[in-house]
Amino acid sequence: MSTFTPNKSLQVDGWLDAIAWNEQSLVPVIAQEAGSKDVLMMAWMNRDALLETLRLGEAVYWSRSRQKLWHKGEESGHTQKVKEIRLDCDGDTILLLVEQKDGIACHTGEHSCFFMQWDSVSSNWQKISKS
Amino acid sequence: MSTFTPNKSLQVDGWLDAIAWNEQSLVPVIAQEAGSKDVLMMAWMNRDALLETLRLGEAVYWSRSRQKLWHKGEESGHTQKVKEIRLDCDGDTILLLVEQKDGIACHTGEHSCFFMQWDSVSSNWQKISKS
């Protein structure tokens, strides 16, 4: 059951301390499509990214390559509307349940970033046509 | 469609280089229940853990706290039978689809480790009864 509504005036508070930020002050975030339950991608958040996500109601990550906040879809249009946010037992991973705009999460144009699959016959990774 | 079968004699080879191991030579691994599609947990693998997973057909992680291979369920009995292994577009995250023995993935006895949920009313994390 979704209990999430964005809160534009949410302030930094003790709830941020429930998260076991890593040595780079980041936490891994799994994005799962709320309807299909497909795992779409994994990305990272810092405190500002999580705060922005909660304020905006859309996924905002920390881009490690560009070293800046990354409002997912800001260029592609493939935004992720947050339906639910979960935290794991030891506070070191976040799970976002999202509505994926256009159903495309991956920068390659695929639905999910997880479109390579281990193939036991060839003992190698193979692209799957439908991810 | 699952294409995974364990291969006891699988050797180290180029397929390991498809993975973008991090600076600690680890890769994050998302475990998702194959039937329910629930995200169960996030853990880490090094090369040996992935090789053992592929050989055994059950999830073997690298325990960062204990600094050793961790055959999930070796003590609790809550093993994870691998149905499918996926890799993401930039090779830096693995997704395992598993059959979770007894339906319990979390060391707390919960089905999934993601049993804390953001509650917009209290602006804090709340335990959910059914994860």
Side-chain angles (χ1 to χ4, degrees):
Chain A
M1 212 67 65
S2 172
T3 57
F4 183 78
T5 47
N7 177 355
K8 282 183 189 166
S9 58
L10 181 69
Q11 295 303 304
V12 168
D13 203 345
W15 57 268
L16 274 166
D17 300 328
I19 292 157
W21 305 96
N22 75 6
E23 62 282 0
Q24 281 126 22
S25 301
L26 301 176
V27 66
V29 180
I30 301 162
Q32 181 179 28
E33 194 167 45
S36 67
K37 298 184 79 175
D38 291 337
V39 175
L40 298 175
M41 55 181 282
M42 206 280 278
W44 297 81
M45 286 186 184
N46 63 4
R47 286 170 174 78
D48 285 344
L50 179 56
L51 187 62
E52 280 306 295
T53 298
L54 289 164
R55 284 178 173 168
L56 189 63
E58 293 187 349
V60 178
Y61 301 107
W62 174 255
S63 169
R64 296 182 302 169
S65 56
R66 291 179 291 157
Q67 289 283 302
K68 59 177 222 174
L69 288 182
W70 164 40
H71 177 195
K72 165 76 181 161
E74 63 196 352
E75 290 178 12
S76 65
H78 301 144
T79 49
Q80 296 178 330
K81 185 176 179 188
V82 176
K83 305 301 286 180
E84 196 174 331
I85 305 184
R86 295 203 183 181
L87 183 64
D88 75 345
C89 53
D90 49 7
D92 68 2
T93 309
I94 286 175
L95 175 64
L96 286 189
L97 281 98
V98 302
E99 256 178 40
Q100 175 61 59
K101 185 80 184 297
D102 303 323
I104 296 172
C106 190
H107 73 286
T108 61
E110 298 278 339
H111 167 53
S112 161
C113 290
F114 294 92
F115 58 78
M116 299 292 290
Q117 184 184 50
W118 178 259
D119 175 50
S120 299
V121 177
S122 62
S123 291
N124 214 335
W125 307 98
Q126 302 289 348
K127 186 162 190 271
I128 46 179
S129 47
K130 289 282 179 192
S131 59
Chain B
M1 211 67 65
S2 171
T3 57
F4 184 77
T5 48
N7 177 355
K8 282 183 188 166
S9 58
L10 181 69
Q11 297 301 306
V12 168
D13 204 346
W15 57 267
L16 275 165
D17 300 329
I19 293 156
W21 305 96
N22 76 4
E23 62 282 359
Q24 282 125 23
S25 301
L26 299 176
V27 66
V29 180
I30 302 162
Q32 181 179 27
E33 194 167 46
S36 66
K37 299 184 80 173
D38 290 339
V39 175
L40 298 174
M41 56 183 281
M42 206 281 279
W44 297 81
M45 287 186 185
N46 63 4
R47 286 171 175 79
D48 285 344
L50 179 56
L51 187 61
E52 280 307 296
T53 297
L54 290 164
R55 284 178 173 168
L56 189 64
E58 293 187 351
V60 178
Y61 301 108
W62 174 253
S63 168
R64 294 181 304 168
S65 55
R66 293 181 289 157
Q67 290 282 302
K68 58 177 220 176
L69 288 182
W70 164 38
H71 178 193
K72 164 78 181 158
E74 61 195 355
E75 292 178 10
S76 66
H78 302 144
T79 49
Q80 296 177 330
K81 186 176 178 187
V82 176
K83 305 301 287 179
E84 198 174 329
I85 305 183
R86 295 202 182 181
L87 184 64
D88 76 345
C89 54
D90 49 8
D92 68 1
T93 309
I94 286 175
L95 175 64
L96 286 189
L97 283 98
V98 302
E99 255 178 42
Q100 175 62 58
K101 186 79 184 296
D102 303 323
I104 298 173
C106 190
H107 74 286
T108 62
E110 297 279 341
H111 167 54
S112 160
C113 290
F114 294 92
F115 57 79
M116 300 294 290
Q117 184 183 51
W118 179 259
D119 175 50
S120 299
V121 177
S122 63
S123 291
N124 212 335
W125 306 98
Q126 303 289 348
K127 187 164 189 273
I128 45 178
S129 46
K130 290 282 178 190
S131 59

